[in-house]
Amino acid sequence: MRPIHILQVGIGPVGQRITRYILQRQGFRIVGAVDKDPEKTDRDLGEICALGPLSLTVSESVERIVGKTTVDVALVTTVSQIEEIANQIQEIVSLGIPVVTTCEELAYPWETAPAHARKIDETAKKHKVAVLGTGVNPGFLMDLLPICYTALCQSVEKISVSRIQDAAYRRVPFQKKIGAGLSLDEFEAKKQEGILRHVGLTESIHMIAARMGWKLDRTEDVIFPIVAEQERRINGLKIEAGRVAGVHQVGRGFVNGEEKITLLFKASVGEKNPCDKIEIQGRPPIVSIIPGGVNGDIATCAITINAVRHILNVPPGLKTMADLPVVSCFC
Ligand SMILES: NC(=O)c1ccc[n+]([C@@H]2O[C@H](COP(=O)([O-])OP(=O)(O)OC[C@H]3O[C@@H](n4cnc5c(N)ncnc54)[C@H](OP(=O)(O)O)[C@@H]3O)[C@@H](O)[C@H]2O)c1
């Protein structure tokens, strides 16, 4: 069988890691790369990824590549907001190319952006391809995994997930998104602009609620700074005392006024005791802890690649991780 031909769109830290991971795996071939950053276009993909030359020049447009080679699937690792990515997804899907994306708001857009979700779904069906939003979170740890645990339950009263991470070991854009190193005033200003937060808690809440059959009356997503009480020095990073080390964010979903879903996301440089914890209050109750937590950068890139085979074989339309057969690593 010939390898699956991959088009990569977005060659930031996530896209670059995906390139490296694909080259280590059997069954895939990167046939094109696209990015809009002028620092990356017209350069060799391998050079950008600190590998040897790959004879693949990063282009600024998808059309240029599609005209020249067969593309089986596009991996889109560009932005977090559906508003910003919707046109590009439509464009790729209209070329008859399935999409796997790490766009957080596409992980479960049916409640938060229904018009975009419907439009992408319709276009994907028209062109007989599937679209998937995935990643570590949203896309797995705080939604699909707790959903899977409930398969063991006779009844479920409440689902809580906490993801506590030491951001010193995450990529730079992640550290920026959580405000690491900012003053409190800078943090507040960026929070008001809506650019400082982990994106995806609300999407995860809706994915869980849909699978539980819970009709939510409301959701909330609140965010606070984690301030370094004393200087934090870790993995080459330094956060001065009094400055922001990261975020403490809580997403909640309510049914008839009762909090049924609680998602705690805490990420800061030097955060103590990182772990991922899932608690199902039900019959039987389930508590599952991953000591140390899962490194989100490795996991996001891996799950994006691991989902490719499935997205080529599911019926057309906009899918979520909860719609796919079990995704696993295959070597
Ligand atoms: N679901 C999850 O669990 C999960 C986990 C990790 C990451 N993510 C998301 O994955 C995305 C990629 O992460 P990253 O750290 O690599 O982000 P990044 O540093 O912002 O890199 C994204 C790259 O894509 C380019 N780009 C943006 N819009 C584009 C467009 N329309 N067409 C072509 N290229 C475009 C950017 O160019 P410019 O710099 O010029 O804008 C940049 O080079 C982010 O949105 C991130 O939040 C999701």
Side-chain angles (χ1 to χ4, degrees):
M1 263 174 46
R2 81 155 167 78
I4 297 170
H5 287 190
I6 305 278
L7 167 65
Q8 283 195 250
V9 183
I11 313 296
V14 168
Q16 290 170 34
R17 191 186 282 263
I18 287 178
T19 301
R20 291 195 290 272
Y21 285 6
I22 288 176
L23 296 175
Q24 293 164 9
R25 301 272 290 261
Q26 305 281 322
F28 300 102
R29 178 179 299 149
I30 302 169
V31 294
V34 173
D35 199 289
K36 74 171 177 59
D37 178 2
E39 304 261 306
K40 298 183 184 115
T41 47
D42 295 330
R43 286 178 58 200
D44 188 90
L45 177 66
E47 185 200 321
I48 294 170
C49 300
L51 303 162
L54 292 174
S55 301
L56 275 168
T57 305
V58 175
S59 171
E60 59 186 8
S61 92
V62 170
E63 285 87 358
R64 278 205 194 166
I65 291 168
V66 171
K68 289 187 198 147
T69 182
T70 313
V71 174
D72 296 320
V73 61
L75 305 186
V76 183
T77 55
T78 52
V79 291
S80 305
Q81 280 73 28
I82 198 165
E83 192 69 39
E84 285 179 47
I85 206 174
N87 283 347
Q88 191 173 46
I89 301 282
Q90 297 277 2
E91 191 189 328
I92 297 172
V93 162
S94 299
L95 293 164
I97 301 172
V99 172
V100 179
T101 177
T102 55
C103 173
E104 288 92 336
E105 289 187 354
L106 256 167
Y108 195 92
W110 293 104
E111 300 295 331
T112 45
H116 281 305
R118 268 197 306 275
K119 207 166 161 203
I120 292 172
D121 186 51
E122 279 164 19
T123 313
K125 284 179 175 151
K126 184 172 164 201
H127 294 276
K128 299 188 171 49
V129 293
V131 175
L132 172 74
T134 191
V136 69
N137 166 41
F140 193 82
L141 272 176
M142 297 183 94
D143 37 47
L144 183 66
L145 191 56
I147 288 168
C148 289
Y149 272 122
T150 68
L152 303 172
C153 297
Q154 167 67 7
S155 60
V156 176
E157 273 78 59
K158 183 174 179 192
I159 296 178
S160 307
V161 185
S162 62
R163 179 147 164 75
I164 298 171
Q165 298 170 77
D166 184 348
Y169 301 99
R170 297 294 308 271
R171 67 196 192 285
V172 173
F174 178 84
Q175 293 162 354
K176 284 195 178 149
K177 270 190 197 185
I178 60 163
L182 298 180
S183 69
L184 268 173
D185 286 348
E186 288 166 338
F187 183 95
E188 276 308 315
K190 284 181 187 278
K191 183 178 141 184
Q192 295 307 325
E193 277 179 72
I195 52 176
L196 193 150
R197 67 187 177 108
H198 166 74
V199 183
L201 290 186
T202 307
E203 285 72 12
S204 291
I205 289 170
H206 283 299
M207 193 195 295
I208 294 171
R211 288 303 291 240
M212 292 302 104
W214 291 341
K215 195 163 166 33
L216 297 172
D217 359 293
R218 69 184 175 93
T219 62
E220 63 180 37
D221 183 346
V222 289
I223 175 166
F224 310 96
I226 297 174
V227 178
E229 285 172 5
Q230 42 197 273
E231 186 182 275
R232 296 187 182 185
R233 268 177 193 269
I234 183 160
N235 202 26
L237 294 164
K238 184 174 106 175
I239 306 288
E240 288 168 18
R243 293 187 83 85
V244 174
V247 293
H248 177 140
Q249 199 169 333
V250 187
R252 298 187 173 93
F254 298 86
V255 177
N256 297 328
E258 188 189 342
E259 189 173 328
K260 298 285 267 183
I261 303 170
T262 308
L263 305 183
L264 167 67
F265 180 91
K266 235 175 135 186
S268 76
V269 171
E271 184 68 37
K272 295 265 186 305
N273 304 321
C275 78
D276 297 317
K277 182 175 178 188
I278 295 170
E279 281 182 274
I280 315 280
Q281 285 175 29
R283 186 166 170 237
I286 295 173
V287 178
S288 169
I289 297 174
I290 304 175
V294 174
N295 180 291
D297 297 330
I298 300 173
T300 293
C301 298
I303 201 167
T304 302
I305 298 167
N306 290 334
V308 163
R309 276 174 204 253
H310 295 282
I311 214 65
L312 292 172
N313 290 311
V314 289
L318 175 60
K319 306 292 170 194
T320 75
M321 284 298 284
D323 301 321
L324 259 57
V326 176
V327 172
S328 64
C329 182
F330 52 95
C331 302

